[in-house]
Amino acid sequence: MKRTLLTTLLLGCYAFVFAQNPTVSGTIISEDDKSPLESATIYLERVQDSSLVSYTISDKDGKFSLVNDSNEKRLNLYVTFVGYQTYVKQISIDKETVVLDPINLAISTSSLDEVVIKSRAPITIKKDTLEFNVKSFKTKKDASVEDLLKQLPGVEVDEAGKITINGKDVSKILVNGKPFFGDDPTITTRNLTKDLIEKVQIVDTKTKSEAFSGEEGDKENKTINLTIKEENNKGVFGRVAAGAGTDKRYEYAGMVNFFDNDRRVSVLAGGNNTNSPGFSFGEIQKMFGGGSMYVNSNGSFGIGGRSFGGGQGITTSRNVGANYADVLSEQVEADADYFYSGSNSINETLTERENILPDSRFFTNSRSRSENDSQNHSANMGFDIEVDSTLLINISPSFRLSKSETTFSRDEETRNEEDALTNQSTTASYVENLAKNFGNDINVTKRFGSAGAFLKLAANVDLNTTEGEDFLNSETNFFTQANEDIIRDQFTDSETEFRSLRTSATYRLPLIAKVFFMDFQYVFQDDKRTSLRSTFDRNEITNGFDDFNLALSTDFEYFNTAHTPSLRLVYRKKDWSVSAEGKYVFRTLENKDFLRPELSLKRDFEALELRSYFNYRFSDKASIYSGYSLSNNPPSLNQLQPFQDVSDPLNTVTGNPELEPTNNHRIYAGYNAFDWQTKSGFYSYASVNIVNNQVVTRTTVDPETLKRTTTYANVNGGYDIYGDVNLSKTIKLDSLIDLKYDVGMGTRLSRNINFNNEVQYESNVTALTPSVGLRFTWKEVMEFRPRYRPSFTQNTYSIPSFENIDFLRHNLDLRLTTYLPKKFEWRNDVDFSYNPNVAAGFQKSAWFWNSTLAYSMLKDQGTLTLKVFDLLNQNTNAQRVATDNYIQDSQSTVLQQYFMLSFSWKFNSLGSKGETNDNNFYFSD
């Protein structure tokens, strides 16, 4: 009997999981010319409540297939396509496969119909814009925009808040077409709630000038525009949160928003001593700033995204920000933001380094401590002036003010292969810096006619000044007879100024209207850097810093002037585009040394730069792209200037005035595909970088004292090959349960050419990083997301005395969230990291477990949260780094275990129209 019951149960589970849901398929054609309609939106709704069951888009032949996972026998079928009338029909699902007759869409005669289509369809594709209807995607109550994005098909959001869409990075997030708090997208995605948003629009990233002139923009990066519901464009809403915990841990955050149609004002503030950025609210994973433990490609342990100390110590921060956006008139739009951030960081680091020479090795151990206090102010403004339909002016000034104080101390010793002490040093310093910056970008774009011609003028100005005071006390001892100890008790007063001016003029000549263009461009770049650094030794008689030290002082001016004419051809069709550009750079580098006139130099360089790009879109589901670039980079001032820098007693650095510019050849290609019907995605990318005349350091080590002498040299033969592939698919087990999996593989092959004690050699790195992840979602019950990422790295060297090094590292992430009982949300984030390669005395592995329990109260306006950071008390950032000439193990201060209780409260004066309506139709991928 028991065996029969068990068999019946297993068969029932098998039938439940693997039973095929009924499908509905058909073809969409235009009633006008009987041609198939690609990218029409087809969706099914329940008859009784109009809730969304399933949706897809048609392929290039107009065909579609939908899955009915609702168990309903009668459903409403909707077909929408921009510019056509909406098709509605009630259909019967009475068999496993329902094949419909061809559906003819009639051309719309009313613009109102297009508005209806946009408001009802879960997804709309119009030219280069992909638009999601927010009401169609079910999330938890009080969901953030980030929670919403995670539900959209083809969209991925990692633990740090980084967003990718069909494998392409999101570089910008706008709200109603305007920036929201600068360039940090997480401020928008984690602090605005879903119930404010009506549409999520995804487009290729463009500057305002590119959008106005009709240029293609950056097809390899995406911009998300969040449109606010019309009824939510007037009112006040926001949230406040605060928490206190053990070990005197605390955090607080607040945000208030004033929306008055086109005028938008937001103010936020935050602070904590938990190494969090300060602007994300406290509940659930936001309490952890989206971080998770990871293993670097070099073998290091750390905390992903927002650091909890992984090498950065313990930071206490405070932040205030404000954002303003408004339409001042029919021609003028304005936006502005201001940020203040203050922080105090304390960090202690222990380092053990094995330095590798062709015929010997030596070992350096150090222990350091640093404490930094910083105050930072930044302000940005933007004015968009549309003088008329053909003339646009963009003005974007910015201001920065930073002040910092740093106290640093270090003890270091170096031993040879016989473990004999060769030198040791102690260092103590106190540094104050004050930095000021002003920048302004001005763009003027004038369009001519309707064929695509335009003239664009641009000017970019950047002014920086930095003032510093540095008190240094150090002693370096050499345990050999031939060298004397170096003792320094010094004060350095420094002032650096940097001025950059870049102007450009671009004219587009249409060769074939709206299809084939020729761009003429001229760019002038003029940079000037002045550096005055005056170092004074303490006078033993006066006890003051009044003995000028010429060897450690500098006074120079550095000029970098470039003239770059270029010609670009662009051919653009509906489904593909190609461009090719050639530049010729005339560059002059000049250095005037006022303390050492004999070291002044002037060099002239000429170089050809090339760039090409090809993009082909097979359909709205798949595209391929490729490109090539040849870039030219001149040596930096410190690499060219033959000044002997002796600021480090153990390393004397001298520039090489004979250096040549570096040429970088880059070839890349990628393929992106997402099938809306099967909810599966495939993304791949490959690139090859070949570097000629690469500038590298050339260091020799004194065998007796182990002091280093460093200069720079050009080398050839370096390259970097990278490839990445990822496959993902969502399987809908029933109307409540989804299973999504993704598998990926990243690989890198690189070769670096270096010198070691005058011996030139090659170092080769081969790295493989496979990844597999699952996301099991049981709606309103739980979500489980495991991910495993091993990393295999091999370092080989052309010098026989260098030992090849192999690394194998493991990283396992487990994310479990449960939503039962009602009003509770319990989240557990567990990360296991194992690095067997670190030296003895350093922690090789760690289980890092954060747990958070949240309870919703006060009609879901309040949330009480209890969290535990590092439940097992194993947090570590031990790391091993292998480079071309050394292997280093290090470990520094990390945030330790604490418990915290917090409360957050949201307020909203937008009224009932701004509240979440659970009766709206929804769909989850």
Side-chain angles (χ1 to χ4, degrees):
M1 180 68 181
K2 290 182 178 179
R3 182 176 299 176
T4 303
L5 181 61
L6 179 60
T7 303
T8 304
L9 242 145
L10 289 173
L11 289 174
C13 292
Y14 181 89
F16 173 77
V17 174
F18 294 100
Q20 294 294 319
N21 292 316
T23 61
V24 179
S25 61
T27 304
I28 313 298
I29 61 177
S30 172
E31 187 178 71
D32 181 48
D33 58 7
K34 304 304 179 182
S35 61
L37 293 178
E38 180 185 2
S39 302
T41 303
I42 307 98
Y43 56 102
L44 297 172
E45 289 185 350
R46 287 184 173 88
V47 175
Q48 63 271 25
D49 60 3
S50 297
S51 60
L52 189 67
V53 174
S54 181
Y55 77 93
T56 189
I57 65 172
S58 58
D59 62 18
K60 63 181 180 179
D61 297 320
K63 297 183 181 300
F64 71 91
S65 178
L66 283 168
V67 177
N68 173 25
D69 51 29
S70 67
N71 297 320
E72 299 283 341
K73 297 303 182 183
R74 297 189 66 81
L75 293 169
N76 288 330
L77 173 72
Y78 288 81
V79 181
T80 65
F81 191 76
V82 174
Y84 286 76
Q85 295 180 17
T86 302
Y87 176 90
V88 184
K89 181 181 180 180
Q90 190 173 110
I91 62 174
S92 297
I93 314 292
D94 52 6
K95 50 187 175 180
E96 291 297 323
T97 302
V98 178
V99 181
L100 302 175
D101 294 332
I103 298 173
N104 294 272
L105 292 190
I107 296 177
S108 173
T109 57
S110 171
S111 59
L112 178 61
D113 187 68
E114 184 174 328
V115 175
V116 174
I117 291 172
K118 286 187 176 182
S119 64
R120 291 282 293 180
I123 180 172
T124 301
I125 298 176
K126 184 179 180 182
K127 293 183 179 179
D128 294 329
T129 301
L130 176 63
E131 183 175 87
F132 294 100
N133 189 335
V134 171
K135 288 183 179 180
S136 301
F137 298 89
K138 179 71 173 180
T139 61
K140 64 181 182 180
K141 290 184 177 181
D142 196 32
S144 66
V145 169
E146 182 175 290
D147 297 322
L148 167 65
L149 294 176
K150 289 179 179 179
Q151 301 300 321
L152 302 183
V155 179
E156 296 291 338
V157 184
D158 68 13
E159 294 298 321
K162 180 184 177 182
I163 306 168
T164 57
I165 299 174
N166 295 340
K168 297 182 179 181
D169 292 340
V170 171
S171 58
K172 188 185 301 183
I173 292 186
L174 306 175
V175 177
N176 279 355
K178 301 179 180 64
F180 191 75
F181 279 106
D183 297 327
D184 185 356
T186 59
I187 295 179
T188 303
T189 59
R190 292 178 173 175
N191 293 310
L192 291 185
T193 56
K194 171 199 171 184
D195 55 11
L196 298 172
I197 310 300
E198 182 176 26
K199 305 286 186 183
V200 176
Q201 298 171 334
I202 299 171
V203 297
D204 294 336
T205 297
K206 295 182 180 182
T207 65
K208 295 175 181 178
S209 177
E210 287 173 337
F212 185 77
S213 64
E215 295 176 86
E216 282 193 314
D218 185 358
K219 285 187 170 293
E220 305 320 312
N221 284 278
K222 294 294 184 180
T223 292
I224 293 178
N225 180 45
L226 306 172
T227 64
I228 302 293
K229 296 177 183 177
E230 185 177 352
E231 62 267 28
N232 287 339
N233 263 330
K234 194 174 183 67
V236 180
F237 67 95
R239 188 180 306 189
V240 292
T246 58
D247 202 21
K248 298 182 180 180
R249 300 297 170 199
Y250 67 86
E251 57 187 5
Y252 59 89
M255 183 178 190
V256 59
N257 304 272
F258 305 88
F259 281 15
D260 186 4
N261 296 317
D262 290 327
R263 180 174 299 161
R264 192 174 69 220
V265 179
S266 301
V267 178
L268 51 76
N272 63 83
N273 61 356
T274 59
N275 287 11
S276 181
F279 282 125
S280 295
F281 290 104
E283 58 270 28
I284 317 304
Q285 70 268 35
K286 308 305 184 297
M287 296 289 284
F288 299 111
S292 61
M293 181 168 287
Y294 64 92
V295 182
N296 279 327
S297 59
N298 59 15
S300 67
F301 288 82
I303 306 298
R306 311 296 177 152
S307 172
F308 290 112
Q312 302 301 317
I314 306 297
T315 299
T316 301
S317 64
R318 53 210 173 271
N319 309 271
V320 176
N323 183 79
Y324 167 82
D326 199 2
V327 178
L328 303 181
S329 67
E330 291 185 1
Q331 290 81 29
V332 181
E333 295 185 6
D335 62 81
D337 63 68
Y338 165 77
F339 282 97
Y340 162 77
S341 63
S343 66
N344 173 267
S345 300
I346 299 176
N347 186 38
E348 295 186 2
T349 302
L350 177 66
T351 301
E352 295 181 2
R353 175 183 291 189
E354 179 181 354
N355 303 276
I356 306 171
L357 301 177
D359 54 359
S360 64
R361 304 190 177 207
F362 64 96
F363 304 87
T364 303
N365 300 327
S366 67
R367 183 183 296 274
S368 64
R369 185 183 191 279
S370 64
E371 182 172 358
N372 174 266
D373 284 288
S374 65
Q375 313 285 330
N376 303 286
H377 303 263
S378 68
N380 303 281
M381 303 177 69
F383 299 93
D384 303 322
I385 307 168
E386 192 168 337
V387 180
D388 55 41
S389 61
T390 66
L391 180 60
L392 176 68
I393 301 174
N394 306 109
I395 305 174
S396 303
S398 63
F399 308 88
R400 304 284 187 275
L401 176 65
S402 301
K403 183 178 181 181
S404 66
E405 299 178 7
T406 303
T407 302
F408 176 80
S409 62
R410 180 179 63 200
D411 295 318
E412 182 176 280
E413 66 175 25
T414 302
R415 296 178 177 271
N416 60 21
E417 285 186 305
E418 287 74 35
D419 198 33
L421 185 64
T422 57
N423 64 68
Q424 68 179 18
S425 63
T426 60
T427 302
S429 67
Y430 173 76
V431 180
E432 292 184 358
N433 280 315
L434 176 64
K436 304 173 185 177
N437 168 266
F438 168 75
N440 195 14
D441 296 338
I442 301 175
N443 292 275
V444 180
T445 306
K446 173 67 177 178
R447 295 189 304 210
F448 302 98
S450 59
F454 65 80
L455 174 66
K456 185 183 298 184
L457 304 176
N460 312 96
V461 178
D462 195 14
L463 303 174
N464 292 276
T465 63
T466 303
E467 300 174 359
E469 293 185 351
D470 184 351
F471 294 87
L472 172 67
N473 195 308
S474 69
E475 181 174 350
T476 305
N477 307 113
F478 298 95
F479 298 93
T480 61
Q481 297 180 353
N483 285 270
E484 296 182 356
D485 297 339
I486 300 175
I487 299 175
R488 292 176 176 174
D489 187 4
Q490 299 169 335
F491 166 73
T492 299
D493 184 26
S494 62
E495 182 176 350
T496 302
E497 295 184 0
F498 176 73
R499 182 220 67 201
S500 177
L501 172 64
R502 184 182 188 274
T503 60
S504 65
T506 305
Y507 176 71
R508 167 162 288 186
L509 174 66
L511 301 178
I512 301 177
K514 299 182 180 180
V515 175
F516 190 23
F517 310 97
M518 181 180 291
D519 294 347
F520 303 91
Q521 186 180 70
Y522 173 77
V523 177
F524 172 70
Q525 177 90 29
D526 184 32
D527 296 342
K528 177 184 177 182
R529 184 184 301 274
T530 63
S531 177
L532 177 61
R533 179 181 175 90
S534 302
T535 300
F536 299 89
D537 295 321
R538 185 183 292 277
N539 188 310
E540 295 182 358
I541 299 176
T542 64
N543 202 35
F545 295 103
D546 47 29
D547 287 346
F548 184 69
N549 190 319
L550 178 62
L552 293 175
S553 300
T554 59
D555 184 4
F556 62 81
E557 292 181 348
Y558 178 63
F559 302 88
N560 181 354
T561 305
H563 303 262
T564 309
S566 66
L567 179 66
R568 180 172 181 247
L569 294 173
V570 179
Y571 193 85
R572 190 169 66 194
K573 298 292 284 185
K574 177 184 177 182
D575 295 326
W576 64 277
S577 64
V578 63
S579 64
E581 181 180 21
K583 302 179 180 180
Y584 202 81
V585 184
F586 301 89
R587 188 186 306 275
T588 299
L589 302 180
E590 182 178 5
N591 179 64
K592 296 180 179 179
D593 194 322
F594 300 104
L595 290 181
R596 307 166 187 85
E598 70 279 5
L599 299 183
S600 297
L601 61 87
K602 184 176 182 179
R603 294 281 305 277
D604 292 319
F605 301 98
E606 295 183 15
L608 175 67
E609 294 190 339
L610 301 172
R611 187 179 301 272
S612 63
Y613 180 79
F614 172 75
N615 178 78
Y616 180 76
R617 187 178 65 175
F618 299 99
S619 67
D620 287 310
K621 300 177 182 180
S623 64
I624 190 171
Y625 62 92
S626 64
Y628 166 78
S629 65
L630 167 61
S631 59
N632 181 269
N633 300 301
S636 64
L637 171 63
N638 65 303
Q639 293 171 339
L640 275 177
Q641 189 180 25
F643 164 65
Q644 191 174 75
D645 183 356
V646 294
S647 56
D648 183 350
L650 296 175
N651 187 20
T652 300
V653 182
T654 307
N656 178 4
E658 302 302 321
L659 290 175
E660 296 295 327
T662 298
N663 289 314
N664 190 308
H665 300 265
R666 177 172 177 255
I667 304 172
Y668 63 94
Y671 175 77
N672 300 279
F674 187 85
D675 191 320
W676 304 96
Q677 298 186 17
T678 62
K679 304 298 184 292
S680 59
F682 179 79
Y683 321 115
S684 60
Y685 176 82
S687 67
V688 178
N689 289 273
I690 300 173
V691 185
N692 294 329
N693 283 331
Q694 182 179 6
V695 178
V696 300
T697 58
R698 189 169 185 167
T699 300
T700 58
V701 179
D702 186 297
E704 187 175 0
T705 65
L706 300 181
K707 289 176 62 176
R708 304 185 301 278
T709 302
T710 299
T711 186
Y712 302 93
N714 289 113
V715 295
N716 292 314
Y719 62 79
D720 181 81
I721 302 173
Y722 174 77
D724 182 65
V725 62
N726 182 271
L727 172 67
S728 65
K729 182 176 177 60
T730 299
I731 303 171
K732 202 165 186 64
L733 301 179
D734 66 12
S735 59
L736 296 177
I737 300 178
D738 294 343
L739 178 65
K740 178 179 181 180
Y741 68 84
D742 67 89
V743 293
M745 171 68 77
T747 181
R748 168 165 268 120
L749 303 172
S750 64
R751 171 180 292 174
N752 295 301
I753 310 300
N754 290 281
F755 290 91
N756 193 303
N757 256 15
E758 295 301 319
V759 177
Q760 183 174 322
Y761 69 99
E762 301 173 359
S763 65
N764 298 279
V765 178
T766 302
L768 294 175
T769 310
S771 172
V772 58
L774 296 175
R775 185 177 74 184
F776 177 82
T777 303
W778 187 348
K779 200 175 298 296
E780 297 183 357
V781 176
M782 65 170 292
E783 181 179 80
F784 180 53
R785 302 179 66 175
R787 177 172 295 279
Y788 174 59
R789 293 188 302 271
S791 179
F792 308 88
T793 305
Q794 182 184 67
N795 296 54
T796 61
Y797 306 92
S798 61
I799 300 180
S801 59
F802 281 21
E803 294 181 4
N804 296 334
I805 305 171
D806 294 330
F807 290 102
L808 171 60
R809 292 169 291 275
H810 304 269
N811 190 22
L812 175 66
D813 306 330
L814 302 173
R815 306 280 181 266
L816 175 63
T817 306
T818 58
Y819 305 101
L820 294 177
K822 189 176 181 180
K823 292 185 176 293
F824 280 90
E825 184 170 333
W826 186 22
R827 179 184 175 97
N828 288 275
D829 295 345
V830 180
D831 297 271
F832 173 71
S833 297
Y834 177 63
N835 182 3
N837 304 105
V838 296
F842 292 86
Q843 190 169 335
K844 298 179 183 294
S845 66
W847 286 93
F848 188 66
W849 184 358
N850 295 328
S851 186
T852 307
L853 180 64
Y855 175 68
S856 181
M857 59 177 59
L858 302 178
K859 298 181 179 179
D860 294 331
Q861 288 185 296
T863 303
L864 184 67
T865 304
L866 174 66
K867 76 167 181 178
V868 185
F869 177 85
D870 190 14
L871 183 64
L872 302 179
N873 201 23
Q874 293 188 18
N875 191 15
T876 182
N877 64 356
Q879 63 175 334
R880 165 162 285 200
V881 178
T883 70
D884 303 319
N885 51 26
Y886 69 80
I887 302 171
Q888 177 175 288
D889 296 292
S890 63
Q891 187 168 304
S892 57
T893 305
V894 295
L895 192 62
Q896 298 294 319
Q897 181 191 78
Y898 68 86
F899 296 74
M900 180 174 288
L901 184 67
S902 65
F903 178 76
S904 73
W905 177 69
K906 68 173 183 176
F907 53 91
N908 188 349
S909 72
L910 299 174
S912 59
K913 292 183 180 181
E915 296 176 358
T916 303
N917 183 358
D918 291 334
N919 292 324
N920 289 326
F921 54 80
Y922 67 88
F923 178 76
S924 173
D925 69 331

